[in-house]
Amino acid sequence: MVHIDLRQVMVTFPQPDGGEFLAVNSFDLKVEKGEFVTIVGPSGCGKSTILSVVDGLIRPSGGEALINGKPVTGPGSDRALVFQEFALLPWRTVESNIMLGLELQHKVPRGKIEALVSHYIKMVGLQGFERHHPHQLSGGMRQRVGIARALAVNPEILLMDEPFAALDAQTREIMSAELLRIWEQEKKTVLFVTHSIDEAVYLADRIVVLSGCPGCVREIIPVSLSRPRNLEIKDEAEFVRLRRHIWGLLEQEAQRQAGGRAGS
Amino acid sequence: MVTLAHLYRRFDAPFLGTLGLVAALCLWEIASRLKWADPILISSPTMVAVALKNWAVTGALWRDLGTSLWELIVAFGASAVVGIPLGVAMGWNRPAEYALDPFVWLLYSTPLVSFWPLFIIWLGIGVKAIIALAFLFSIVQIVINTMAGVRNIDPVLIRCARSFDARTIDLFFKFTLPGALLMIVAGLRLALGRALIGVVVGELFSANAGLGFHISYYGAKLRFGDVFASLFVIVVIGVATTQLIRLFEARLVSWKS
C-alpha cells in the first residue's frame, strides 16, 4: 500500500531581491507502508525541504504531497520529525522532553502519558537517565531522546532529518544500528535524509539519490541486503557494490562542491 | 591535606579582592591622619564608622533606609509588572515592536533626570516623584531584556513545536516563556540597579527622608563622614539585592550545571 505519495513536488522560496529560489523541482516518490527509504545527496540539493513538505511545514508551490491518498495540509500526529540539532528543550529532563509531543497534541490523557514515556525510555535504552537534563547527556543519548519523543506520539511515519549528522563517526554507527533495532520493533514508515552514503545503504529498503539540480532524482536504488542487519554487513560484496555505485553518481557533484563550489 | 597553598588557590579571587579593599581603607585612614589632604574634605574610615553608628543610634538610619527601600520596591515592582508584559508583547508580535520601539529607545537614550521638573509639577515634591523617576530608570531595561529573550528563541525549537502542531498558547508557555526566563531575570537584576540609582538621584534633589536625602543634607553641611556613611549603606543595598536575584538566577539555571 502506498503510504507517502509525492507527485511532481516543486518548492520555491521567495528571495530578498524579489526573485525565487528553486529548492525542489518536480520530485516524484512513492513510499510503501512500513518501508525504510533514505534520501542521499549533496548539500543544498533539497533533501530537508522534501521532509518538511511531507511533515506539512512547507507547502509545495507545485505538485502534490499525499499521505494515505489524502493531501497534506499541515503537520499532524500521523507524522513525527527527528532533528539533526535534536531540538530538545534544555530546561526539561529526559522524561519531560519525551512527553513533550504528547503534551502538545492533547490526545493522550495525562494519566497514560507516564506509562508511554517509560516504555519508550526503555526502548531507546535511557533507563536511569530519566531525570537528567540534555546538557548532561552525550550527543548520541540526546538523539535517543529525540527519537523517543518522536515515537511516543505513535506516528505512522517517522521523518528523520540527518539525525546522526552531529554525532561522531563511532556513535553514528552505533546509533544507526540502534535505529534499525527499534524500527524492527515498530515497523514505522521511515523517510531518512542523510549525506552519508554508508548510512543510506545500511538503513534502507530503497535509496533515493538526488543530484545537485534542486531535488532532481538521479536514481532510486532498491537494497536487497537481508534483514535484520548488523554492522558487519558493511563488508559484504553487495554493500560495497552499492556504496561504490552511489559514490559514482555523486562524485562529480561532490568534487565540484569540495573545489570551492566552482560553477555554482 | 589542605594546606594554605591549596586554600589560596581555591579562594584567590575573594582573598585578593578583600586584600585590595583593606589596603585602600588603610591608605585612606593614613592619608587622613597624616593630613596628606584636609580630613574635613576626605573624611576617614573611622570617621565614617562613627557617623554610621550615630546615625543608627538616633534611629534616623532606619527611617531613611525604610523610606528608600520602600521607594525602591514600589518602583521596581511596578516596572516589572508593566515592563515584562510590554517586553513579551514586543518580542512576540512584530507590529507591537514597531509601534513601541521608538518609546523604548527614547527612554533609553534620554537622560531621564531631565524629566524631574515635570514629575515635581505633576506629582509634587516627595515620594511619588521619586518613585516615578526610579520606575522610568528601571522599566526600560526590563522591556529590552524581555523582548530580546522572547525574540531569541532557537528557531529549531519553533520548528519542533510546529511539527507537533502545537497550539499558540502551548508554544508560548512551553517554549517561548521558559526560553526567555533567564534573559528576563537578568533584565530584572540590571533594572534593580537602575531603580536604585533613580531613588537616590530623586532623593538627592528633593526629599525629607531617605539615603539620598541624607547625602544632600550632610553634603551641604560639609559633614563628609555622614555622606560616606550613606554611600556605604547604598552600596550594601545594591549588592545585597543584586545578589538575591543572582541566587534566584542560579536556581533557575540548575538545569545547566
Side-chain angles (χ1 to χ4, degrees):
Chain A
M1 196 188 117
V2 177
H3 200 176
I4 306 172
D5 191 356
L6 301 174
R7 297 178 182 169
Q8 293 290 302
V9 167
M10 183 173 87
V11 179
T12 55
F13 295 115
Q15 292 286 91
D17 62 9
E20 294 213 307
F21 170 75
L22 184 63
V24 176
N25 194 12
S26 56
F27 182 81
D28 270 307
L29 179 68
K30 286 186 197 332
V31 180
E32 294 290 315
K33 202 165 187 88
E35 198 180 13
F36 201 127
V37 171
T38 56
I39 302 178
V40 65
S43 322
C45 71
K47 303 184 297 272
S48 299
T49 309
I50 291 167
L51 273 197
S52 291
V53 168
V54 178
D55 197 36
L57 293 173
I58 295 178
R59 241 167 224 274
S61 348
E64 52 182 353
L66 306 173
I67 293 190
N68 291 323
K70 290 192 204 86
V72 174
T73 54
S77 56
D78 55 339
R79 286 148 288 153
L81 196 53
V82 177
F83 299 83
Q84 177 181 345
E85 310 87 344
F86 317 132
L88 305 179
L89 297 181
W91 53 85
R92 284 192 173 217
T93 60
V94 165
E95 210 168 38
S96 166
N97 262 295
I98 293 175
M99 63 177 74
L100 180 71
L102 294 165
E103 273 178 38
L104 295 176
Q105 293 185 345
H106 296 278
K107 282 186 180 146
V108 177
R110 278 255 153 213
K112 289 191 179 166
I113 287 183
E114 220 161 289
L116 270 173
V117 168
S118 77
H119 171 73
Y120 286 102
I121 282 179
K122 228 171 269 159
M123 179 177 292
V124 299
L126 281 175
Q127 302 103 305
F129 293 94
E130 290 87 347
R131 317 242 163 213
H132 283 57
H133 284 94
H135 80 276
Q136 298 170 294
L137 306 177
S138 66
M141 290 165 90
R142 285 183 210 182
Q143 195 55 293
R144 284 171 196 264
V145 178
I147 292 171
R149 179 179 67 186
L151 289 174
V153 298
N154 196 24
E156 296 172 22
I157 300 171
L158 204 54
L159 302 168
M160 309 190 78
D161 190 0
E162 306 202 28
F164 306 142
L167 308 178
D168 64 71
Q170 287 80 14
T171 308
R172 197 171 176 150
E173 296 260 303
I174 291 164
M175 286 300 290
S176 51
E178 279 287 281
L179 177 62
L180 278 191
R181 177 182 66 75
I182 292 165
W183 177 73
E184 300 281 352
Q185 291 176 46
E186 295 272 305
K187 286 295 180 193
K188 307 280 184 198
T189 306
V190 182
L191 203 52
F192 186 108
V193 161
T194 178
H195 54 244
S196 154
I197 297 174
D198 243 51
E199 207 166 75
V201 177
Y202 174 68
L203 294 169
D205 293 320
R206 279 190 303 151
I207 307 162
V208 180
V209 183
L210 296 185
S211 69
C213 100
C216 294
V217 177
R218 278 296 290 272
E219 196 176 331
I220 295 182
I221 304 164
V223 180
S224 56
L225 296 162
S226 64
R227 291 191 190 269
R229 296 174 191 165
N230 50 30
L231 289 166
E232 280 85 66
I233 211 166
K234 296 190 177 186
D235 301 324
E236 284 185 15
E238 175 66 3
F239 190 98
V240 175
R241 187 190 69 78
L242 283 169
R243 181 167 51 197
R244 194 168 297 151
H245 176 64
I246 296 170
W247 174 240
L249 293 173
L250 295 175
E251 181 172 13
Q252 208 185 351
E253 188 69 28
Q255 293 282 11
R256 196 174 61 81
Q257 285 197 357
R261 299 180 169 270
S264 68
Chain B
M1 204 192 90
V2 180
T3 63
L4 269 177
H6 276 114
L7 275 177
Y8 176 73
R9 240 170 283 148
R10 174 92 176 69
F11 295 107
D12 58 345
F15 175 72
L16 291 177
T18 314
L19 196 70
L21 216 55
V22 170
L25 286 176
C26 290
L27 197 68
W28 184 9
E29 187 71 41
I30 291 166
S32 179
R33 297 260 166 133
L34 300 183
K35 297 199 167 29
W36 292 347
D38 188 344
I40 291 180
L41 292 182
I42 66 164
S43 187
S44 76
T46 45
M47 286 160 80
V48 174
V50 171
L52 201 58
K53 199 197 89 193
N54 291 337
W55 194 13
V57 167
T58 61
L61 169 59
W62 313 115
R63 193 193 50 145
D64 288 327
L65 190 62
T67 305
S68 292
L69 275 180
W70 169 247
E71 289 158 352
L72 180 68
I73 289 166
V74 173
F76 175 70
S79 65
V81 167
V82 179
I84 293 175
L86 268 182
V88 166
M90 290 176 70
W92 184 259
N93 183 284
R94 285 278 172 190
E97 186 199 344
Y98 296 150
L100 295 171
D101 208 40
F103 297 97
V104 172
W105 291 108
L106 201 84
L107 284 182
Y108 201 70
S109 38
T110 311
L112 293 170
V113 183
S114 44
F115 285 100
W116 184 248
L118 290 176
F119 289 158
I120 295 286
I121 306 286
W122 293 340
L123 304 167
I125 293 176
V127 174
K128 278 191 212 158
I130 292 166
I131 288 174
L133 184 68
F135 172 82
L136 275 193
F137 262 88
S138 163
I139 190 169
V140 189
Q141 191 68 56
I142 295 177
V143 170
I144 288 175
N145 265 56
T146 306
M147 178 175 71
V150 169
R151 175 73 32 88
N152 290 345
I153 178 163
D154 186 350
V156 77
L157 294 183
I158 300 286
R159 191 159 167 245
C160 168
R162 290 187 52 214
S163 172
F164 280 120
D165 211 5
R167 300 171 186 175
T168 308
I169 191 163
D170 281 336
L171 176 64
F172 182 72
F173 283 106
K174 292 183 197 284
F175 291 78
T176 304
L177 205 56
L181 201 55
L182 273 182
M183 275 293 277
I184 296 175
V185 177
L188 290 176
R189 174 163 48 76
L190 297 172
L192 189 61
R194 289 174 60 95
L196 184 60
I197 295 175
V199 165
V200 173
V201 168
E203 288 175 345
L204 272 176
F205 283 143
S206 54
N208 47 28
L211 300 167
F213 163 73
H214 193 259
I215 292 178
S216 62
Y217 182 81
Y218 286 105
K221 294 186 162 188
L222 301 187
R223 280 176 53 180
F224 293 129
D226 294 275
V227 171
F228 281 114
S230 40
L231 277 180
F232 175 77
V233 175
I234 290 166
V235 168
V236 169
I237 293 181
V239 171
T241 50
T242 306
Q243 284 304 318
L244 215 65
I245 297 192
R246 270 198 198 286
L247 274 177
F248 182 55
E249 274 180 290
R251 289 199 57 156
L252 279 181
V253 293
S254 58
W255 48 265
K256 264 188 178 166
S257 50

